[in-house]
Amino acid sequence: MHAATQLIELGAIVLALGLLGAVAVRFSISPIPLYLVAGLAFGSGGILPLGASEEFVSLGAEVGVILLLFTLGLEYTAGELVGTLRTSAPAGLADLVLNAAPGVAVALILDWGPVAAVALGGITYVTSSGITAKVMGDLGWLGNRETPAVLSILVFEDLAMAAYLPILTALLAGASLVAGATTLGIAAATITVILYVALRHGRLVERFVTSPTDEVLLLKVLGLTLLVAGLAQQLQVSAAVGAFLVGIALSGPLAHTARELLAPLRDLFAAVFFVFFGLHTDPGQLPPVLGVAALLAVAGIATKLTSGWVAARRAGVAARGRLRAGAALVPRGEFNIVIAGLAVSDGVNPRLGPLAAAYVLMLAIAGPLIARGVEPFIRWRGIRPSRTRPGAARDEHAVPRPADGVADDRVDGQEDVEDVEDVEAVDRPPAPGRH
Amino acid sequence: MDVERTSLPGIGLRHVFTTGRGRQIGVVSHRTGRRDLVIYDKDDPDTCVVSVALAAEEANAVAELLGTGRVVERLAELNRQVEGLVTEQILLTAASPYAGRRLGDTRARTRAGASIVAVVRDGEVIASPRPDFEFRAEDVVVVVGTDEGTAAVATILHGG
């Protein structure tokens, strides 16, 4: 009868997630906080404790993290990552210092020890790129001038995660300084090799993965990702980072197809992961940490607003856009829970899990609301746009009206971008009789 | 006209330009093939006030209306303006002796007295091609001239 119980429980969980997802869509909020709540409800000390399907859920959670990171890696090309590092490192570093500080400070003040401080710093630092990108798309902000700055921050954060997760894994394993340094060396070497392969020999990877049918492609990509993730885990680099790097190594049309194929799987297993985290958090533990979580949430909003302000100002954007950039960066979600999950499974501090859960719940819900409210706030406060023309390419060039018979203006530099056809500015045809 | 190109990591590309009258418009090209047509606030160059998401086909339709249509329209206008002037669109088949050869080789102006003013290739208009322009099979050649002139060019291109 054990199998039957498992099926019943699993079915109940997934169905409940579906219903919650419908609620999330109805109110156009991110489903992540709802999944966490579902996990809290089903978990130990919740209203409906489950027991039988623990094993499957924990493996599913593992796969969920890997797929989350893999699809995140697919979003970027190696070229974009390197380019972002070159151009927006100052803003990215400011974002890191500003946002990790409250977490580190709170952990130290509460006397949780340095390892918990590193974990909590990571939890308060990372923006949820998934929620942010969706909110910006929903609000029609993609064309805004501050958007590239915001996206660069997200890329920088994801790269920072690729370096941070191995460090955290080493610290949690209680590795000595020497062992930790070795781990980091291995991690750095792995990341470098994968980036090098992706940048220089992307063709080889693609040739290996290219498949006659979608079915074959799905199996190949999923197998490769899980395999690399497992090997990375073996090398103490953390499975998530391995998966992220596989995603980066794939680019172009292939990445696009892979993303479409894996999206449903990722959605399922990522939901299982959030539930799993909730299952392991005792709702009874939440009230004692609510105060601290609220404090951190307020600090987290303030620091992200500052980060966005700084990044947008560097891009030459006026006050309105700077506020929008900050608001877009507020949501926290996937990565924060991934970090908390790692820390909790290694038993850093029993309070850390509930604190992270409460923090993410608050900011995953507050973030999109703040983003929606920022434009009305600007209008209410009457923040005037600057009449000047910010932006790099605007000031130096006056824009002449095309006179008759001006030669075609070509937009060049298109070659390095996939899927974007050449753009040709077509001039007026000249008067006849003029070759 | 300056088109400012910005990459949007994880999303795609953005092209923005300012019209002669000082309005800013742009296109966000998603990797998925989606295109957003964005129009900026008159007073605030940072903010787009309208953002219309277009599927790949819809974007092509808009491009066609803005681009190809313009050329054909202008030619039609020319026809009306100038008595006795006609526009012909001639399809260059693979059988044509000029497929793969240069425009100058046709000596169309000298021989027929009509001008080749544009070539439409894969839905894109190549305006005022130079003598060193190389024809390909399936090009549509747009010719302007008198009735006889355009007919003569058609004969030349078809291998007469």
Side-chain angles (χ1 to χ4, degrees):
Chain A
M1 280 319 285
H2 185 66
T5 326
Q6 273 198 344
L7 281 179
I8 291 169
E9 281 191 358
L10 268 185
I13 292 177
V14 176
L15 183 61
L17 292 183
L19 296 174
L20 285 171
V23 171
V25 170
R26 173 79 191 69
F27 293 102
S28 64
I29 52 173
S30 159
I32 293 172
L34 297 179
Y35 295 158
L36 280 176
V37 170
L40 288 170
F42 289 134
S44 50
I47 45 174
L48 259 180
L50 299 170
S53 36
E54 193 76 12
E55 213 169 296
F56 174 85
V57 171
S58 82
L59 186 65
E62 193 94 33
V63 174
V65 173
I66 288 167
L67 288 179
L68 263 178
L69 274 282
F70 172 64
T71 47
L72 186 69
L74 281 181
E75 298 284 335
Y76 305 124
T77 60
E80 274 178 352
L81 292 180
V82 177
T84 304
L85 267 187
R86 271 205 214 111
T87 52
S88 51
L93 285 171
D95 172 60
L96 194 158
V97 173
L98 274 169
N99 290 285
V104 173
V106 163
L108 292 178
I109 290 165
L110 293 174
D111 204 18
W112 286 1
V115 177
V118 172
L120 196 56
I123 291 167
T124 54
Y125 162 52
V126 194
T127 294
S128 161
S129 45
I131 299 183
T132 293
K134 190 175 176 320
V135 165
M136 291 176 91
D138 287 352
L139 293 175
W141 285 3
L142 291 179
N144 289 348
R145 192 168 301 284
E146 75 276 1
T147 300
V150 173
L151 293 172
S152 300
I153 291 253
L154 295 180
V155 177
F156 188 92
E157 288 189 0
D158 293 334
L159 269 179
M161 280 298 108
Y164 166 88
L165 287 173
I167 297 176
L168 184 69
T169 322
L171 285 173
L172 289 169
S176 63
L177 202 59
V178 177
T182 319
T183 308
L184 270 187
I186 293 171
T190 316
I191 291 168
T192 315
V193 166
I194 295 215
L195 277 180
Y196 171 79
V197 167
L199 276 170
R200 291 261 170 272
H201 307 290
R203 291 249 172 277
L204 290 177
V205 183
E206 280 173 37
R207 200 171 308 155
F208 172 72
V209 178
T210 304
S211 310
T213 65
D214 282 359
E215 189 183 349
V216 176
L217 180 67
L218 173 72
L219 295 173
K220 263 190 186 173
V221 170
L222 186 63
L224 182 70
T225 309
L226 292 175
L227 189 70
V228 173
L231 287 173
Q233 188 86 308
Q234 219 34 303
L235 291 170
Q236 301 286 317
V237 179
S238 116
V241 175
F244 179 64
L245 292 172
V246 176
I248 287 172
L250 290 177
S251 61
L254 202 65
H256 180 56
T257 320
R259 194 178 320 138
E260 282 185 346
L261 286 176
L262 283 160
L265 271 181
R266 177 207 51 201
D267 293 343
L268 170 67
F269 284 109
V272 168
F273 165 70
F274 292 121
V275 170
F276 176 75
F277 185 79
L279 284 178
H280 281 256
T281 310
D282 182 353
Q285 297 284 318
L286 280 177
V289 295
L290 275 184
V292 180
L295 195 77
L296 276 178
V298 171
I301 292 169
T303 50
K304 280 294 175 190
L305 284 172
T306 315
S307 296
W309 183 276
V310 170
R313 195 181 58 196
R314 282 188 76 245
V317 175
R320 280 174 76 172
R322 293 179 200 170
L323 280 173
R324 277 195 306 257
L329 287 168
V330 168
R332 310 290 207 280
E334 308 90 339
F335 258 133
N336 318 69
I337 296 291
V338 169
I339 297 166
L342 280 174
V344 169
S345 65
D346 276 299
V348 166
N349 186 308
R351 286 281 165 86
L352 190 71
L355 178 62
Y359 179 79
V360 169
L361 276 178
M362 288 174 189
L363 287 184
I365 295 170
L369 292 177
I370 290 173
R372 276 191 177 72
V374 77
E375 288 276 5
F377 170 80
I378 288 166
R379 276 195 291 278
W380 172 67
R381 289 299 308 266
I383 296 173
R384 303 281 339 127
S386 61
R387 300 286 306 211
T388 56
R389 283 264 155 92
R394 326 244 112 232
D395 319 33
E396 303 110 41
H397 309 289
V399 183
R401 297 201 57 175
D404 282 19
V406 171
D408 284 6
D409 229 10
R410 276 166 191 276
V411 181
D412 45 30
Q414 294 273 337
E415 303 77 26
D416 51 346
V417 185
E418 336 88 33
D419 303 351
V420 178
E421 300 84 13
D422 248 6
V423 181
E424 276 230 15
V426 177
D427 231 284
R428 340 175 20 170
R434 211 201 93 201
H435 275 333
Chain B
M1 210 181 82
D2 277 320
V3 179
E4 184 193 357
R5 172 175 168 277
T6 324
S7 104
L8 300 177
I11 291 174
L13 269 184
R14 188 185 68 191
H15 292 90
V16 179
F17 73 95
T18 310
T19 64
R21 293 183 166 182
R23 283 308 298 266
Q24 268 194 330
I25 53 178
V27 174
V28 177
S29 311
H30 295 249
R31 283 190 196 143
T32 54
R34 180 181 131 186
R35 297 282 184 273
D36 294 346
L37 187 63
V38 291
I39 294 170
Y40 290 83
D41 195 319
K42 268 202 186 73
D43 307 320
D44 181 1
D46 298 341
T47 307
C48 58
V49 278
V50 184
S51 166
V52 186
L54 300 167
E57 270 172 36
E58 295 160 345
N60 283 347
V62 172
E64 200 126 318
L65 289 171
L66 292 172
T68 324
R70 285 292 298 142
V71 171
V72 174
E73 227 173 80
R74 290 188 156 281
L75 291 171
E77 224 170 90
L78 277 176
N79 280 350
R80 276 199 303 279
Q81 283 168 357
V82 188
E83 201 60 40
L85 202 61
V86 292
T87 316
E88 279 296 336
Q89 299 193 21
I90 303 155
L91 176 68
L92 203 81
T93 54
S96 164
Y98 293 103
R101 284 175 63 190
R102 296 171 342 157
L103 186 147
D105 300 341
T106 63
R107 302 194 5 260
R109 276 226 344 262
T110 328
R111 288 160 66 187
S115 296
I116 295 176
V117 294
V119 175
V120 184
R121 177 179 289 172
D122 304 334
E124 275 196 39
V125 176
I126 300 148
S128 49
R130 298 178 183 286
D132 60 4
F133 177 86
E134 208 171 276
F135 286 121
R136 274 195 233 150
E138 301 304 315
D139 280 351
V140 175
V141 184
V142 183
V143 188
V144 172
T146 58
D147 246 334
E148 300 81 39
T150 51
V153 174
T155 317
I156 292 169
L157 289 179
H158 288 149

